[in-house]
Amino acid sequence: MFEGVPLQWFLVTGTIMFFVGIYGFLVRKNLITILMSIELILNSVNINFVAFNKILYPGHLEGMFFTIFVIAVAAAETSVAIAIIINIYRRIVNIDVEKMNEMKY
Amino acid sequence: MIDFSFTALILLIPLFMFVVLGLFGNRFKPLVSGIAGTTGLFVMWVLSLITAYMYFFVLEKAVDGTFQKFLAVNMRWLTLTDKLHIDMGVLLDPISVMMLIVITTVSFMANLYSIGYMKGEKGYMRFFSFLSLFSFSMLGLVVATNIFQMYIFWELVGVSSYLLIGFYYTKDAAVAASKKAFIVTRFADLGFLIGILMLSYLTGTFDFITLTGPDSPAFTSGQGVWFLGLSTMTWSMIFIFMGGAGKSAMFPLHIWLPDAMEGPTPVSALIHAATMVVAGVYLVARLFPIYVSTPVALDVVMYVGAFSSIFAAIIACTQYDIKRVLAYSTMSQIGMMMFALGISGYGGHEGLGYMASMFHLFNHAFFKALLFLGAGAIIHSVHTNYMNEMGGLWKHLPITHITFLIACLAIAGIPPLSGFFSKDEILAAGLEKSTFLYLVMMIVSGLTAFYMFRLYFSIFWGKQTQYEHTPHEAPKTMTIPLLFLAVGALLTGLIPFSNFVTSDRLPFVAHLEIWVAIPAVLIALVGMVIATLFYRKENNLPEKVFLALGGFSKAAYHKFYIDELYLFITKKIIFNYISRPIAWFDRHIVDGTMNGISFVTNEISFRIRKFQSGQLQQYALVFVSGALFLALIFIYLWTN
């Protein structure tokens, strides 16, 4: 699978995913969507890892391991983040990020 | 060689008493603390007598026939460099052993006396613990092995003097007097410290034995001209003398001594007559070989001593507070001791003045302590300090009367009482040096006899005053010290002092100079006769003379306006032209800068705090743009 696909394609895909994630993170107001944007950013990095591992060091598995590691950490992080979001929702009945400015000056 | 290390106990006992009485004194009955303190001092007294006996009579002399000068106890306390270190210890030589006797005797007597005198006073145990502290510090001062140890204990005596002058801390005058004493002597000690630093810088040592030994580094270093035509060593000795002059109440640093009489009378007897105020004399005597090598500094000692002596004697004739008369008399006598040191040379008969000075110090301690304790007994029974409110007390206070008379005769220099012998030596030494100063000292002798008998007659004879309560003789604890000291005043003059205490520690024979003695006794008698005429019976002669002398006597009555001069200098000049500008500078420039910095910081942070909007995405935007910006810069740098 993916034999003969040039490296650039993977990189372009990763870059697009990355900036889509950044854009979503900066623009969307819903906390859940922001969380999804973060996942996009992480996965764009994962794609880069896998692609570089496959093309540059075909016999090695470090890139793969790292990707699995990132996925695991992201899962944990997401569960914590969702717990926080639920708590925030319980408190102010809203998950709009702009309403959360209790910590300002 | 005898082991003298037990002398450390002489120091440690009063320290121990101070700590015990100071911390636990409240738990005892007042009388118990008094007796405990006195017992401690009694042990100390016995120990010093043993020390003196062993030192002078048992201990073999050095090869050249001098009394040995050695460290009985020594421990390194603070190491600055390998060569320069500060030790604590006990140095024994004739003057320190002599001072041990003086201090412990008077200390013990004053303590014993205080048991009766302070009875029923508030803070009884506080008084005794402070007395012990004083004894400890004064003994530490005299046995100091090095000049730094001396300085430490020097300050400690200053503190204990401060505490005891201000003992009646509810009385404004006492508080003011204690502050005055402390500040004036502290100011003088500034000079002392500068002198010590200069001396130790030049010689590289603090140690007395090295400093005053025959090949002392002080004789060679710092002899070049440095400032105002005087060598560095001379200046350092003058600075050190400044400290001594402050403690010994020499003109112009004497202003604290008369005010110090606000303290309880036993304190005046112990600290401000017999022991602490002679610390300055002791200091000069201790460093005497160096003073001899710097003649200008020694001349300063001489002139300051002579001037203070006559200055104080004149004032003493005009005062009415009996303790103040005695205070000025003390100053005058200490001036004589300083003068005697100042005219002295080093070694053998040349060192007559040195020996006379120490002799006078020794005798003076006894008769002046006796005078003060007697004055205390009088004040105790008639409840006033002013001699014009007294009179005719001889029949009420027989023991005090006799002992006071003995002390007056002793200080006036009537043979065969103690003052006669030492004063004779001083005058003899003075005559060898300068006729003018000899005449000054003669006048001082006459004045001394006059004011002492003015005091004596005004208190015990004069007008028949009616007292509210019939005065009664003091209790035994007070009269026993009086009697003991009276015996001392009678007999100490007979000690052949030149066999024990001399400038080079080599005994010599001092003869009684008959041609000096006769005029001295005559002038003392003249003073006494005038005093008798004036004050034996109530009459208006003193008033006439006082008026006849006009402005001079008025000035003397006002102590020559020295206090006013000090107030003028401090309040009008220093406060207005130095302290105020400094305060202004501090408040406006220093504080202003600091306030300005905090104000600006505050203002800026107030303005920029809006950046902390709490909007997560705004932060993220800033972060991402920053990261992008940095990434672009790095890419740009790498690609070029």
Side-chain angles (χ1 to χ4, degrees):
Chain A
M1 210 172 140
F2 297 123
E3 292 298 327
V5 180
L7 177 61
Q8 288 85 343
W9 289 20
F10 291 104
L11 295 187
V12 168
T13 316
T15 313
I16 290 169
M17 275 173 72
F18 182 81
F19 280 101
V20 168
I22 293 282
Y23 175 78
F25 184 80
L26 292 181
V27 173
R28 301 307 295 257
K29 302 299 175 196
N30 189 316
L31 277 177
I32 304 286
T33 338
I34 290 175
L35 202 59
M36 287 157 67
S37 314
I38 294 173
E39 288 306 313
L40 269 181
I41 296 170
L42 286 171
N43 282 328
S44 78
V45 174
N46 285 348
I47 287 174
N48 281 14
F49 265 126
V50 174
F52 276 121
N53 191 31
K54 177 87 181 167
I55 307 293
L56 295 181
Y57 303 102
H60 295 253
L61 286 171
E62 282 93 339
M64 307 291 179
F65 288 153
F66 233 98
T67 306
I68 289 165
F69 196 68
V70 169
I71 290 170
V73 172
E77 173 232 298
T78 309
S79 63
V80 173
I82 287 178
I84 293 173
I85 292 168
I86 290 171
N87 267 309
I88 290 172
Y89 181 76
R90 280 185 184 159
R91 188 174 270 268
I92 61 173
V93 202
N94 204 331
I95 47 170
D96 186 347
V97 72
E98 289 198 330
K99 295 280 186 292
M100 269 155 249
N101 52 7
E102 295 290 306
M103 301 288 276
K104 74 178 179 186
Y105 42 91
Chain B
M1 183 81 192
I2 307 158
D3 186 14
F4 272 101
S5 48
F6 70 87
T7 46
L9 277 181
I10 301 179
L11 268 157
L12 295 177
I13 289 171
L15 178 63
F16 176 74
M17 296 313 304
F18 164 62
V19 173
V20 169
L21 290 179
L23 291 180
F24 309 113
N26 277 331
R27 306 205 180 153
F28 310 142
K29 280 187 178 156
L31 195 62
V32 176
S33 62
I35 291 172
T38 313
T39 315
L41 290 186
F42 176 73
V43 175
M44 185 181 91
W45 182 50
V46 171
L47 278 176
S48 354
L49 289 181
I50 294 172
T51 313
Y53 173 75
M54 301 242 279
Y55 182 81
F56 283 119
F57 298 107
V58 180
L59 183 71
E60 65 273 28
K61 291 180 182 170
V63 192
D64 52 354
T66 58
F67 284 107
Q68 294 187 37
K69 184 173 190 173
F70 62 94
L71 302 177
V73 183
N74 196 30
M75 58 175 224
R76 189 170 285 200
W77 181 64
L78 186 66
T79 310
L80 299 177
T81 64
D82 282 341
K83 259 183 76 191
L84 200 62
H85 47 87
I86 300 172
D87 296 354
M88 287 284 160
V90 175
L91 171 71
L92 289 186
D93 75 338
I95 51 172
S96 69
V97 174
M98 179 201 83
M99 288 300 285
L100 279 186
I101 300 180
V102 169
I103 293 161
T104 52
T105 311
V106 180
S107 215
F108 171 55
M109 290 302 153
N111 252 272
L112 189 59
Y113 179 91
S114 309
I115 294 181
Y117 185 84
M118 300 299 287
K119 198 169 203 162
E121 295 274 2
K122 218 176 135 200
Y124 196 77
M125 59 85 210
R126 181 162 58 94
F127 181 77
F128 281 94
S129 70
F130 286 165
L131 272 190
S132 294
L133 172 67
F134 171 76
S135 303
F136 160 69
S137 3
M138 190 67 208
L139 290 165
L141 193 162
V142 296
V143 298
T145 60
N146 58 71
I147 199 161
F148 222 92
Q149 185 188 351
M150 196 169 190
Y151 183 70
I152 291 167
F153 283 99
W154 187 272
E155 294 301 337
L156 271 176
V157 283
V159 171
S160 29
S161 156
Y162 166 78
L163 291 171
L164 284 165
I165 296 170
F167 180 75
Y168 298 121
Y169 57 83
T170 47
K171 236 166 83 184
D172 284 345
V175 173
S178 63
K179 276 195 287 194
K180 189 172 179 183
F182 193 71
I183 292 168
V184 173
T185 50
R186 220 11 277 193
F187 171 70
D189 293 346
L190 176 69
F192 189 20
L193 183 61
I194 294 172
I196 291 176
L197 294 179
M198 282 166 69
L199 185 67
S200 53
Y201 172 75
L202 291 172
T203 58
T205 178
F206 290 126
D207 192 46
F208 278 137
I209 293 186
T210 323
L211 276 175
T212 57
D215 35 65
S216 158
F219 298 155
T220 46
S221 52
Q223 297 289 9
V225 170
W226 177 58
F227 184 62
L228 292 181
L230 295 177
S231 68
T232 328
M233 191 49 82
T234 309
W235 276 110
S236 81
M237 295 323 279
I238 289 175
F239 274 125
I240 288 179
F241 175 65
M242 179 179 161
K247 265 286 181 281
S248 287
M250 289 290 99
F251 181 86
L253 296 167
H254 65 278
I255 50 162
W256 63 272
L257 185 61
D259 288 15
M261 298 301 135
E262 291 295 339
T265 310
V267 170
S268 313
L270 173 61
I271 302 185
H272 306 117
T275 54
M276 188 190 83
V277 286
V278 296
V281 180
Y282 180 78
L283 174 67
V284 176
R286 173 54 81 210
L287 295 171
F288 194 65
I290 311 181
Y291 273 103
V292 172
S293 75
T294 54
V296 180
L298 202 57
D299 280 350
V300 170
V301 175
M302 173 176 80
Y303 285 115
V304 168
F307 182 74
S308 307
S309 183
I310 190 153
F311 177 81
I314 292 171
I315 296 177
C317 297
T318 59
Q319 299 297 307
Y320 286 99
D321 182 333
I322 58 175
K323 285 181 77 182
R324 274 175 198 250
V325 174
L326 292 176
Y328 278 109
S329 152
T330 306
M331 180 184 161
S332 168
Q333 300 300 312
I334 292 170
M336 274 187 127
M337 297 172 205
M338 284 287 187
F339 165 77
L341 280 176
I343 52 175
S344 177
Y346 187 73
H349 192 73
E350 285 287 297
L352 181 66
Y354 181 93
M355 183 285 265
S357 171
M358 292 295 109
F359 195 17
H360 199 55
L361 191 164
F362 188 79
N363 294 336
H364 176 258
F366 286 92
F367 57 65
K368 189 49 69 61
L370 173 55
L371 282 170
F372 266 109
L373 294 184
I378 294 159
I379 294 168
H380 192 71
S381 64
V382 301
H383 304 289
T384 174
N385 271 12
Y386 292 95
M387 62 166 90
N388 37 11
E389 294 169 20
M390 301 174 186
L393 280 174
W394 65 273
K395 55 177 183 273
H396 300 298
L397 307 169
I399 300 177
T400 313
H401 171 227
I402 294 297
T403 51
F404 204 86
L405 177 61
I406 290 172
C408 284
L409 288 169
I411 192 174
I414 304 298
L417 284 89
S418 60
F420 163 73
F421 293 95
S422 47
K423 216 174 260 183
D424 176 61
E425 306 285 4
I426 291 179
L427 291 170
L431 187 58
E432 283 170 21
K433 175 89 175 188
S434 133
T435 322
F436 171 68
L437 290 171
Y438 164 75
L439 289 175
V440 170
M441 284 301 125
M442 287 296 279
I443 296 170
V444 172
S445 297
L447 285 172
T448 307
F450 172 73
Y451 64 69
M452 285 325 296
F453 278 86
R454 169 176 179 263
L455 190 63
Y456 167 75
F457 283 123
S458 310
I459 295 172
F460 292 104
W461 303 87
K463 60 179 186 287
Q464 293 299 319
T465 313
Q466 290 302 316
Y467 298 100
E468 278 179 40
H469 315 279
T470 315
H472 54 90
E473 185 60 275
K476 281 237 163 41
T477 46
M478 289 165 71
T479 47
I480 289 171
L482 290 180
L483 290 170
F484 181 89
L485 289 170
V487 173
L490 279 171
L491 298 180
T492 51
L494 303 174
I495 298 171
F497 224 70
S498 59
N499 284 349
F500 300 116
V501 179
T502 56
S503 55
D504 52 357
R505 287 174 282 125
L506 193 66
F508 72 96
V509 182
H511 303 284
L512 190 62
E513 307 279 344
I514 202 81
W515 292 111
V516 179
I518 290 174
V521 174
L522 280 180
I523 196 161
L525 286 174
V526 168
M528 282 167 63
V529 168
I530 297 175
T532 317
L533 288 178
F534 279 19
Y535 301 104
R536 172 70 181 81
K537 291 252 163 59
E538 200 178 5
N539 59 39
N540 61 355
L541 262 178
E543 211 173 318
K544 271 187 197 160
V545 174
F546 190 87
L547 291 177
L549 286 171
F552 182 73
S553 54
K554 194 157 167 262
Y557 178 71
H558 288 109
K559 306 152 200 167
F560 292 105
Y561 303 103
I562 301 290
D563 276 322
E564 283 77 3
L565 184 68
Y566 266 93
L567 282 182
F568 177 75
I569 292 175
T570 50
K571 288 218 163 130
K572 292 271 155 57
I573 296 178
I574 296 181
F575 285 5
N576 276 349
Y577 295 104
I578 299 176
S579 309
R580 289 244 165 89
I582 290 175
W584 186 89
F585 183 82
D586 184 53
R587 240 167 252 153
H588 293 92
I589 309 291
V590 178
D591 288 5
T593 314
M594 289 304 139
N595 289 343
I597 290 173
S598 66
F599 177 78
V600 169
T601 315
N602 200 13
E603 221 23 45
I604 292 175
S605 32
F606 193 78
R607 285 184 190 190
I608 62 172
R609 69 181 187 156
K610 292 276 155 58
F611 287 131
Q612 297 283 339
S613 61
Q615 295 297 335
L616 177 69
Q617 286 171 321
Q618 193 183 336
Y619 300 165
L621 181 64
V622 172
F623 168 72
V624 170
S625 4
L628 270 181
F629 180 67
L630 284 179
L632 288 176
I633 286 180
F634 285 128
I635 290 168
Y636 175 77
L637 288 178
W638 269 324
T639 49
N640 285 291

